[in-house]
Amino acid sequence: MNEKRVKEPEEVVVAVMPKQDLSWIPNLLKKRVCTTFVEDSFSNGGRCQCGATRDSHPSVALGDNFSTAIVSHWDSIQHSSEQPTDAYGELEFAGSGKRHSYFLRLSSTTVPSVVFDIMRQYWKLGQPNLVVSVVGGEGRSKVKSWVREVLRQGLVKAAQSTGAWIITSGLKEGIGKCVGEAVRDHATAVSSVSLNKVVPIGIAPWGMVHNRQQLVDPEGSFPAKYFVQSTSRGTYSLDNNYKAFLLVDDGTEGRKGGEFGFRGRLEDYISRQRPAGSASIDIPVLNMLISGEVSMVEALEISLKNSMPWLVLADSGGLANLVSDIVENVQSDPMCAFGVAEKEEGSPNMELRERITTKVKKHFPSEQDMDKLVDKVLSIYQKKDLISIYHAEGTDDFDTVMLKVLVQASKHRVSVTTNPYVDELKLAVTWNRVDIAKSELFSGNIDWKYEDLEESMTDALENNKPQFVRLFIDNGLNILNYLTYGRLEGLYDSISKTSQAGVLLQHLLEERINESNDKTCRVSIYEVSLLLEYLLGEVCQPFYRSLFKVDAASTRRKALKRVCKALKEEYSYQQSMCRHPWLCLFLWAVLQNRGEMAILCWEMCGESVLTALGGCKILRELSKLETETDAKLPMKELATKFEFMAHDVFGTCYQTKASYSYKLLIRKSNLWGDATCLKMAMAADARYFFSHDGVQSLLSQIWWGDMERGTELWKLALTMIIPPLVYTNLIKFKKEENAEEVKSVMAPPPSATDCNYGETVFSFADIKHHSEGDHEDSNNIRRPTKGTATSFRSKKIPFWVSRWKQFWYAPVTSFIGNVVTYFLFLFLYAYVLLVDFKQPPPEGPAASEYVLYFWVFTIVCEEIRETFIVGNKKFCQRLMLYIQDVWNKFDVLAISLFIAGLCCRMFRFSFNMGRGILCMDYMVFTLRLIHIFAIHRQLGPKIIILGKMIKDAFFFLFFLAVWLSAYGVANQALLYQYDPSPDRAFRRVLYRPYLHIFGQIPVEEIDTGKNWDRDCTDNLTLINEGKEPCRDTSHNWLVVILLVVFLLVTNILLVNLLIATFSYTFSKVQERSDTYWKFQRYNLIVEYHSRPTLAPPFIILSHINLLIKRNLRKVPSTKIHRFALQLKGKDANKLVKWETFQKENFLTIESKKQRGTDSERLKRMTAKVDGIIKQVGEIRDVDRRLRALESDMEFCTSSLQWIMEALSQSSTVKSPKSHPTRKAVISASIEK
């Protein structure tokens, strides 16, 4: 059914139902109309017992005189009929300025399930976690002030915290008015989100509503304007603080009680439904009695027979005082069910009846049918276990009292469990009241077992209640025993189908359904594995694949067939325990963007730095797929939070021991499928993480290799020109002793400058050593520990070999070589274009041009090697990864232009074109220098700012192009009536206006007042032949105005806009340019670390060497898995424990900071004040009990004294004093 959604002020989106969509309501819901006039004896024949006058009855009701004569009592079922309802829709209270409410007129015999579905589906009222039905206190009697305070501070506050519906009469009188005012007052102190958790609903008799005719419209009211007025006797106005009204029609007017039957059935139906997201308990329904009249006894009796719990407000007056009196002060003697035949003298039932009769006469002395009332009260007394009494001066909070009442009632409706507190825990979880759970259930007095917490743990996870998850873990729930793969599948199956992760999982599930033709499939671990693989990419190995024994090299379709077959045969893996349960829950929470739950699981996880970066990566990938801004922004914020957490935890590790923190960055993780922190941070675009001094220190050490930091660049260049200088002291290298001590002694750098970073945990000699000495660990970067270097190596490498490798294998050496040779390449390219560019064959090309061709060929070979040979990814994946880099696109463009220019210059007909292409290609090759110098600390950030400004310039050019075309076309058309030359038209429409911006304005041509010595003609024939046309002078004034406007807009507005945009971009990027540069620096270091030692054109020698080593000698590369350290056994466990310890230190520091904030101090102060108030209440209770005990002691003492005096006298002499009474003793005690 189509629904139009609107958003009211301070409200969530509600449904507004178009008229045409609600034509079915009158056919489904009915009203009641009196069909038999039964005369009211007190009205002299002018009024029916239904409350309506004779004139308001239809003729059918007045026609059957015989039936009317024999009927003495009017009955709603017999003497009224149902007709289609004529009052439903939306209600607007005139002058209130509040949101619209919903209303519906319905018969008292309506099925409650239909009404509940309308409230949920069409009125969009949230599924309640609790229903509080408030009865009593009707009429015009004044409600006590302390009762108003209980409703305001107790009921509404508890309803807001639990997400409850509050059901009253909804009328502007008595308790209904007080509840409406309490909701209104509470709305001013809470947010709109919290406010919508409280849903006040009015269930009132249709005949008691004042101005009810304003609501009547057979086609529905959208909205109906309702005027609240001071009412006459017998009717009351609706309260504008309620969200929905159910107006129950039993055919009467001005008569109360007609709604009680439907209200009881509706509450009973709701009590058999489940709260939103809960599958363990039904919706609890609590009836609350405040004051009340004698007529409510029947409703109370019926409700108790349905096992509905009641909370009675003691001392509120009326029926509430009677019920609280008999429950608290009448002794509960064991007796059988009450019956008329059991009224024997002296039986326990008769004694109980007499005591209850006394209480009833005390509270309702003027009641006429006393015996009937006593029978009902006695029936109520038999169900007193469902009745709880609330005293305003009690020590417990109102919500705690409600929880205990509902739990006590639930014990009478369900079978007794092993732990009587399980139901109370389920309610606390449903209401999300962890404070009640801590104070009442987990205070140390209850022995909780794993079976008691298991079901509640599932509810807490599915409904995003991390505080309860932490509470259960702290009180005996073992996550290793709890989380099986089957339960994990259930958690993934509970993900909302509308969320981004839910949509992706359903798409993957449909693929498996189409393959297996099984429509009953639900989300399995295989879909989760595919989703994580899609989001994480090649950063780590796929999750959960080992459960299905799927080969990693198999295609997607083969893997899907294997999984479908495995799922059809057996589900044995579902009973297996998850290997890393907290990581599994962390991934599940992150995919749903549940921040608090994800952070809780992160705190419990190992490898905290990598886990935080992994969460950052997943969230940022999901945010790219999300289309709605409201869902995208929280994902980005949580991703940034995880990045900051990874940065801070790593900072704590780095300050403690830098050498271990370096290992942390390059260690392969078993938890995350051989991923490393650097690799994950790069994939997650974690720029802030890369800006940390520790990360930059490691990168700097990799950049310089085994050479000393701070070596002058001219020394490196000179050594490259004269290689034997490497064996001199011109360049200093790290001593082997220092390298051995790096692992044990490491301090954080004193500053963030590039020249003050600390040492690394390995050297490049170790990398090369591993590649030659240990092929099994050839992909791992390790350094030998002290004292084991000799035994670790199979043979000692000669000094001249090791020193040669230390120099040439450093990435900085490769970088300097590439820079020098690239400048030589540009010089050679320029020389060929300017000096030695000869004609096509056979005259040319020259020898220098052939050298240039060979040079470009070696560059192409390196690009092919870098793209398609290095790594173990598939061809398409490598190609896509290569294209993603902007500078790779530059390389492809430069090489493509060079090849095109080369082909064209070989032929005479295209020689000039080829030369032009090669000239343009030289510009592209020259611009490639920008990327090379991105490594520079000062130039790098400026290059980033330049790139941002170029993007801004494109927007400027767009606006400029609009004005250029607008002014150019208009100017040309006004100056020249006819000019068929495309060349002249193009120059004057676009090129000439562009020159106007820079001051080149041909005034003689534009202003006809100036002399123009240009030869022109007005002859169309000559003009068609190419002759210059003469100017049109008729619109010269308009041409001048357009010129002024054009120069004003372009030279002043647009240029200043561009300057302002550049200034804003510079100031914005300058603050974070260092962070951006450090992030890009990693890419450049990785690039030159993976490159061969020699630069083009000599790189061809390195390519030949690599070809021989890889294909002939089968020597694996150590740079395939770069920046990776494989730790096993004790070393791995030691590093994980150390990282966990540092994470705990970080969390402790953050917790101290949090406790030191003003908000936390205020919370602690509030808790202390609440504790003091509770203790004062307990003291008052003890004082009251002591006073009662003192009165009893006074009475006992007086009685004993009287007995002693009586016994001391003769039997014939009577005591002069009378026997003391309790009332006299209490009065004497009060006087004292």
Side-chain angles (χ1 to χ4, degrees):
M1 191 166 294
N2 297 328
E3 298 177 2
K4 182 182 177 183
R5 292 175 129 14
V6 299
K7 193 169 183 178
E8 299 291 342
E10 298 183 358
E11 276 297 301
V12 295
V13 178
V14 296
V16 178
M17 303 170 290
K19 294 181 181 180
Q20 63 271 18
D21 290 342
L22 295 178
S23 58
W24 52 272
I25 282 187
N27 299 327
L28 182 64
L29 299 175
K30 308 296 181 181
K31 66 178 182 178
R32 280 199 168 271
V33 179
C34 178
T35 56
T36 304
F37 182 85
V38 180
E39 181 180 343
D40 187 358
S41 59
F42 298 99
S43 64
N44 296 325
R47 190 176 295 274
C48 177
Q49 292 185 13
C50 70
T53 60
R54 177 183 292 272
D55 297 337
S56 62
H57 282 71
S59 57
V60 177
L62 301 174
D64 193 358
N65 297 324
F66 176 78
S67 300
T68 304
I70 63 175
V71 175
S72 61
H73 178 70
W74 188 88
D75 182 78
S76 174
I77 303 298
Q78 298 179 2
H79 303 135
S80 66
S81 62
E82 291 185 343
Q83 297 181 8
T85 185
D86 56 2
Y88 59 91
E90 295 180 7
L91 188 61
E92 178 185 357
F93 290 90
S96 64
K98 293 189 176 182
R99 64 184 185 274
H100 294 178
S101 302
Y102 302 102
F103 75 97
L104 178 63
R105 180 183 181 183
L106 50 94
S107 171
S108 58
T109 58
T110 303
V111 179
S113 60
V114 176
V115 180
F116 186 73
D117 291 340
I118 292 176
M119 296 168 71
R120 287 282 295 112
Q121 297 180 14
Y122 300 104
W123 292 358
K124 300 300 179 183
L125 303 184
Q127 189 87 348
N129 294 325
L130 168 68
V131 174
V132 180
S133 179
V134 184
V135 298
E138 310 295 342
R140 301 182 184 273
S141 58
K142 186 176 181 180
V143 181
K144 298 179 180 179
S145 60
W146 68 268
V147 175
R148 294 175 180 269
E149 192 67 20
V150 167
L151 293 176
R152 182 180 292 105
Q153 299 295 333
L155 176 61
V156 178
K157 180 181 177 182
Q160 184 269 328
S161 64
T162 56
W165 287 4
I166 302 179
I167 298 178
T168 69
S169 63
L171 302 176
K172 209 171 186 62
E173 56 92 20
I175 293 298
K177 180 180 179 181
C178 293
V179 172
E181 292 175 349
V183 172
R184 179 199 62 198
D185 296 341
H186 185 72
T188 61
V190 298
S191 63
S192 59
V193 176
S194 300
L195 174 62
N196 287 286
K197 294 182 179 179
V198 182
V199 181
I201 299 174
I203 301 181
W206 169 260
M208 292 289 294
V209 178
H210 184 64
N211 288 340
R212 56 183 175 273
Q213 293 303 321
Q214 298 176 3
L215 310 179
V216 175
D217 187 347
E219 296 182 359
S221 302
F222 303 93
K225 284 196 174 182
Y226 184 77
F227 294 88
V228 179
Q229 302 174 350
S230 56
T231 59
S232 60
R233 184 176 182 84
T235 59
Y236 303 95
S237 297
L238 298 176
D239 196 316
N240 60 352
N241 294 305
Y242 284 76
K243 197 168 186 178
F245 296 94
L246 298 177
L247 307 178
V248 182
D249 188 3
D250 64 341
T252 63
E253 293 185 11
R255 299 287 190 269
K256 295 183 179 180
E259 80 280 8
F260 283 148
F262 172 78
R263 182 170 174 175
R265 294 197 308 275
L266 178 62
E267 292 168 358
D268 181 66
Y269 175 79
I270 295 176
S271 67
R272 288 182 274 109
Q273 308 305 309
R274 295 294 171 91
S278 177
S280 58
I281 63 172
D282 296 331
I283 297 176
V285 177
L286 174 64
N287 294 275
M288 187 175 176
L289 177 61
I290 302 176
S291 184
E293 302 174 355
V294 180
S295 58
M296 298 180 181
V297 174
E298 184 175 358
L300 177 61
E301 180 188 11
I302 295 174
S303 178
L304 289 172
K305 288 182 180 179
N306 293 330
S307 300
M308 290 290 181
W310 281 79
L311 180 63
V312 179
L313 213 62
D315 300 327
S316 60
L319 183 60
N321 287 357
L322 171 61
V323 175
S324 61
D325 194 6
I326 64 174
V327 170
E328 290 184 332
N329 299 324
V330 176
Q331 297 180 359
S332 56
D333 295 335
M335 62 181 184
C336 58
F338 178 78
V340 180
E342 296 176 351
K343 296 180 181 180
E344 298 181 1
E345 193 68 28
S347 65
N349 285 345
M350 292 305 299
E351 294 178 3
L352 177 62
R353 182 181 178 85
E354 290 177 0
R355 291 195 292 269
I356 290 179
T357 302
T358 303
K359 298 293 183 182
V360 172
K361 290 181 179 179
K362 175 183 175 182
H363 293 279
F364 297 100
S366 60
E367 179 64 25
Q368 297 179 356
D369 195 353
M370 186 62 67
D371 291 338
K372 184 177 180 181
L373 178 60
V374 170
D375 292 341
K376 293 181 179 179
V377 173
L378 186 58
S379 176
I380 292 173
Y381 180 81
Q382 294 175 350
K383 294 285 188 178
K384 70 174 185 176
D385 291 338
L386 295 173
I387 301 175
S388 299
I389 310 300
Y390 177 76
H391 296 276
E393 67 275 7
T395 59
D396 291 334
D397 294 333
F398 192 80
D399 45 9
T400 307
V401 173
M402 288 197 307
L403 179 65
K404 292 180 178 179
V405 171
L406 293 171
V407 170
Q408 183 181 2
S410 65
K411 294 176 183 177
H412 293 85
R413 292 197 295 174
V414 297
S415 59
V416 179
T417 58
T418 56
N419 191 334
Y421 299 97
V422 171
D423 292 329
E424 189 172 355
L425 177 61
K426 291 179 180 179
L427 282 176
V429 173
T430 302
W431 294 358
N432 198 20
R433 295 303 305 272
V434 69
D435 53 338
I436 296 179
K438 286 182 179 179
S439 60
E440 302 293 333
L441 303 176
F442 293 94
S443 58
N445 301 325
I446 305 174
D447 183 20
W448 291 99
K449 298 180 180 179
Y450 169 78
E451 294 79 9
D452 302 332
L453 305 176
E454 186 177 8
E455 192 172 0
S456 297
M457 178 69 169
T458 303
D459 284 347
L461 286 171
E462 291 181 352
N463 297 306
N464 194 23
K465 297 172 182 177
Q467 293 179 335
F468 274 101
V469 175
R470 187 187 298 274
L471 186 65
F472 296 150
I473 295 300
D474 294 340
N475 289 273
L477 191 142
N478 189 351
I479 193 66
L480 292 173
N481 296 331
Y482 169 79
L483 193 63
T484 61
Y485 286 109
R487 185 164 279 142
L488 183 62
E489 286 184 347
L491 293 176
Y492 276 104
D493 195 54
S494 67
I495 293 179
S496 174
K497 304 300 185 293
T498 58
S499 64
Q500 187 62 48
V503 171
L504 294 174
L505 285 174
Q506 290 302 313
H507 176 71
L508 296 171
L509 179 61
E510 289 175 1
E511 292 183 2
R512 182 161 63 89
I513 291 176
N514 295 334
E515 181 67 28
S516 61
N517 296 324
D518 185 3
K519 303 299 182 181
T520 62
C521 294
R522 70 169 193 169
V523 175
S524 68
I525 292 295
Y526 177 71
E527 282 76 38
V528 178
S529 174
L530 293 178
L531 176 59
L532 292 175
E533 183 180 1
Y534 172 72
L535 296 175
L536 293 172
E538 299 294 327
V539 178
C540 60
Q541 297 177 3
F543 285 85
Y544 310 126
R545 287 294 181 89
S546 59
L547 298 174
F548 302 96
K549 299 178 181 179
V550 176
D551 187 8
S554 59
T555 61
R556 176 82 171 269
R557 187 166 185 82
K558 289 183 179 179
L560 184 59
K561 291 182 178 180
R562 174 71 182 87
V563 169
C564 292
K565 184 178 180 181
L567 291 176
K568 286 181 179 180
E569 293 176 354
E570 58 180 353
Y571 291 85
S572 58
Y573 73 93
Q574 292 185 343
Q575 305 302 322
S576 304
M577 304 299 174
C578 292
R579 292 182 56 192
H580 307 292
W582 284 118
L583 178 61
C584 296
L585 291 178
F586 172 80
L587 296 172
W588 170 77
V590 165
L591 288 173
Q592 299 180 84
N593 195 28
R594 293 182 173 181
E596 293 185 13
M597 184 71 74
I599 291 175
L600 170 63
C601 298
W602 173 81
E603 292 176 2
M604 301 293 182
C605 267
E607 303 185 8
S608 54
V609 177
L610 181 57
T611 302
L613 292 173
C616 177
K617 164 68 174 174
I618 293 174
L619 287 167
R620 283 180 175 160
E621 292 296 329
L622 286 174
S623 66
K624 294 176 184 178
L625 301 173
E626 186 62 59
T627 56
E628 297 184 4
T629 306
D630 293 339
K632 179 181 294 187
L633 288 180
M635 290 182 182
K636 291 184 176 180
E637 292 175 358
L638 185 58
T640 304
K641 188 172 184 179
F642 275 123
E643 181 182 354
F644 276 67
M645 289 165 58
H647 177 276
D648 295 341
V649 174
F650 178 75
T652 304
C653 298
Y654 186 61
Q655 291 177 1
T656 305
K657 197 169 186 180
S659 60
Y660 276 26
S661 66
Y662 294 144
K663 287 185 179 181
L664 207 61
L665 293 174
I666 60 176
R667 171 209 53 193
K668 285 187 176 181
S669 170
N670 293 328
L671 201 64
W672 282 86
D674 289 343
T676 64
C677 289
L678 287 180
K679 193 175 181 181
M680 185 68 76
M682 183 62 199
D685 197 22
R687 302 177 181 179
Y688 182 68
F689 180 79
F690 270 104
S691 67
H692 193 277
D693 293 344
V695 180
Q696 292 301 310
S697 176
L698 176 64
L699 296 179
S700 296
Q701 290 297 329
I702 296 174
W703 179 249
W704 286 95
D706 291 333
M707 288 183 288
E708 288 290 342
R709 296 290 308 281
T711 302
E712 291 82 354
L713 295 181
W714 66 269
K715 294 182 179 181
L716 295 176
L718 183 61
T719 306
M720 293 180 66
I721 299 173
I722 309 175
L725 292 178
V726 74
Y727 300 107
T728 65
N729 292 328
L730 181 64
I731 298 178
K732 295 182 180 180
F733 292 84
K734 296 175 185 177
K735 297 181 180 179
E736 189 173 352
E737 295 81 11
N738 295 337
E740 297 292 339
E741 295 175 0
V742 165
K743 186 175 179 180
S744 59
V745 181
M746 186 64 59
S751 67
T753 57
D754 195 45
C755 59
N756 290 326
Y757 286 124
E759 304 293 334
T760 189
V761 75
F762 59 88
S763 66
F764 278 83
D766 299 321
I767 302 177
K768 184 60 181 174
H769 159 71
H770 283 304
S771 65
E772 294 180 353
D774 188 357
H775 289 177
E776 293 182 0
D777 292 335
S778 60
N779 294 334
N780 306 331
I781 301 178
R782 295 184 184 173
R783 66 160 309 281
T785 57
K786 188 174 182 178
T788 61
T790 304
S791 60
F792 186 83
R793 294 177 173 140
S794 58
K795 62 179 180 178
K796 186 176 180 64
I797 300 178
F799 169 76
W800 65 274
V801 176
S802 61
R803 178 57 58 87
W804 182 266
K805 292 179 179 180
Q806 285 176 339
F807 175 77
W808 289 104
Y809 285 5
V812 66
T813 306
S814 178
F815 172 76
I816 296 298
N818 277 272
V819 170
V820 173
T821 57
Y822 199 79
F823 274 109
L824 295 176
F825 166 73
L826 293 178
F827 176 79
L828 176 63
Y829 200 158
Y831 174 79
V832 170
L833 289 177
L834 298 175
V835 178
D836 206 12
F837 196 81
K838 296 185 178 181
Q839 292 296 317
E843 289 86 355
S848 58
E849 193 171 349
Y850 280 115
V851 174
L852 180 64
Y853 296 163
F854 176 75
W855 205 316
V856 174
F857 170 74
T858 59
I859 294 176
V860 173
C861 292
E862 173 56 22
E863 292 296 324
I864 295 174
R865 184 204 67 83
E866 182 181 348
T867 306
F868 303 108
I869 298 178
V870 176
N872 53 1
K873 299 178 182 178
K874 297 179 181 179
F875 176 81
C876 296
Q877 294 175 343
R878 293 174 181 173
L879 186 60
M880 293 298 298
L881 187 64
Y882 179 83
I883 295 176
Q884 290 176 1
D885 191 283
V886 176
W887 295 109
N888 288 337
K889 296 177 183 177
F890 259 82
D891 293 337
V892 173
L893 176 61
I895 294 171
S896 301
L897 289 176
F898 190 87
I899 295 174
L902 173 62
C903 295
C904 291
R905 69 98 55 223
M906 292 296 176
F907 304 97
R908 294 190 179 276
F909 67 89
S910 60
F911 174 78
N912 291 328
M913 181 187 296
R915 190 173 186 277
I917 293 175
L918 290 175
C919 292
M920 296 299 299
D921 190 35
Y922 179 81
M923 292 182 60
V924 178
F925 274 113
T926 306
L927 291 175
R928 192 65 170 79
L929 284 172
I930 296 177
H931 175 58
I932 294 177
F933 287 101
I935 193 67
H936 196 270
R937 190 174 186 83
Q938 280 72 38
L939 292 178
K942 300 303 183 291
I943 292 173
I944 296 172
I945 295 175
L946 179 62
K948 298 288 184 179
M949 288 184 174
I950 290 176
K951 294 180 181 179
D952 295 334
F954 278 109
F955 294 101
F956 167 78
L957 292 177
F958 168 75
F959 291 111
L960 182 62
V962 172
W963 278 99
L964 281 176
S965 59
Y967 168 73
V969 172
N971 182 68
Q972 173 68 10
L974 291 173
L975 282 176
Y976 301 98
Q977 291 183 352
Y978 179 71
D979 188 1
S981 174
D983 180 64
R984 285 198 300 263
F986 176 78
R987 288 176 176 272
R988 290 170 176 172
V989 168
L990 296 178
Y991 180 61
R992 187 173 61 184
Y994 179 74
L995 295 179
H996 289 355
I997 301 175
F998 302 97
Q1000 297 186 16
I1001 304 174
V1003 182
E1004 294 81 4
E1005 181 181 357
I1006 294 178
D1007 189 358
T1008 56
K1010 301 287 184 179
N1011 293 325
W1012 192 35
D1013 55 357
R1014 192 79 173 265
D1015 186 18
C1016 62
T1017 182
D1018 291 329
N1019 191 329
L1020 295 180
T1021 304
L1022 296 177
I1023 292 175
N1024 289 328
E1025 293 176 355
K1027 188 72 174 177
E1028 177 78 22
C1030 291
R1031 297 172 298 173
D1032 182 12
T1033 60
S1034 60
H1035 299 90
N1036 181 69
W1037 61 274
L1038 187 57
V1039 172
V1040 175
I1041 293 176
L1042 290 180
L1043 175 63
V1044 173
V1045 173
F1046 174 72
L1047 293 178
L1048 176 67
V1049 172
T1050 55
N1051 286 21
I1052 297 178
L1053 295 182
L1054 290 183
V1055 172
N1056 281 279
L1057 175 63
L1058 179 64
I1059 294 173
T1061 306
F1062 283 171
S1063 300
Y1064 172 75
T1065 301
F1066 181 84
S1067 60
K1068 181 180 178 181
V1069 178
Q1070 179 67 20
E1071 300 174 356
R1072 297 179 294 175
S1073 61
D1074 188 66
T1075 301
Y1076 292 159
W1077 169 74
K1078 289 178 179 178
F1079 179 72
Q1080 291 188 351
R1081 181 171 179 254
Y1082 170 79
N1083 293 327
L1084 201 62
I1085 291 175
V1086 170
E1087 177 183 348
Y1088 284 99
H1089 176 257
S1090 61
R1091 277 195 173 190
T1093 304
L1094 300 177
F1098 309 106
I1099 199 172
I1100 192 66
L1101 301 177
S1102 298
H1103 290 163
I1104 296 173
N1105 179 40
L1106 290 174
L1107 184 64
I1108 295 173
K1109 289 176 64 177
R1110 302 292 178 264
N1111 297 330
L1112 300 181
R1113 297 176 57 192
K1114 304 298 183 181
V1115 177
S1117 173
T1118 60
K1119 296 182 179 180
I1120 293 178
H1121 303 284
R1122 48 188 176 266
F1123 298 76
L1125 175 66
Q1126 185 74 43
L1127 293 179
K1128 297 181 180 179
K1130 294 182 179 180
D1131 292 338
N1133 294 334
K1134 184 178 180 181
L1135 187 61
V1136 170
K1137 291 179 180 178
W1138 177 79
E1139 182 185 6
T1140 304
F1141 180 73
Q1142 301 305 321
K1143 178 190 67 177
E1144 296 296 333
N1145 291 340
F1146 164 76
L1147 294 176
T1148 302
I1149 295 173
E1150 291 298 316
S1151 178
K1152 289 181 180 179
K1153 291 180 181 179
Q1154 183 68 20
R1155 288 198 302 269
T1157 58
D1158 294 338
S1159 59
E1160 289 297 322
R1161 290 178 181 176
L1162 185 60
K1163 287 181 181 179
R1164 292 197 298 270
M1165 183 63 68
T1166 305
K1168 291 179 181 179
V1169 172
D1170 291 341
I1172 294 174
I1173 294 175
K1174 189 174 183 179
Q1175 292 178 0
V1176 171
E1178 293 176 352
I1179 292 173
R1180 289 179 180 176
D1181 185 54
V1182 172
D1183 181 68
R1184 181 177 59 82
R1185 292 167 59 190
L1186 288 176
R1187 289 180 182 274
L1189 182 60
E1190 183 179 357
S1191 300
D1192 292 340
M1193 292 296 296
E1194 291 281 350
F1195 171 74
C1196 293
T1197 303
S1198 301
S1199 299
L1200 290 174
Q1201 186 177 359
W1202 179 84
I1203 293 173
M1204 292 175 64
E1205 290 178 358
L1207 292 177
S1208 62
Q1209 302 294 331
S1210 174
S1211 59
T1212 59
V1213 181
K1214 295 183 179 180
S1215 174
K1217 295 182 179 180
S1218 62
H1219 186 281
T1221 62
R1222 179 182 292 270
K1223 184 175 181 181
V1225 172
I1226 294 175
S1227 300
S1229 176
I1230 293 175
E1231 291 177 359
K1232 290 182 181 180

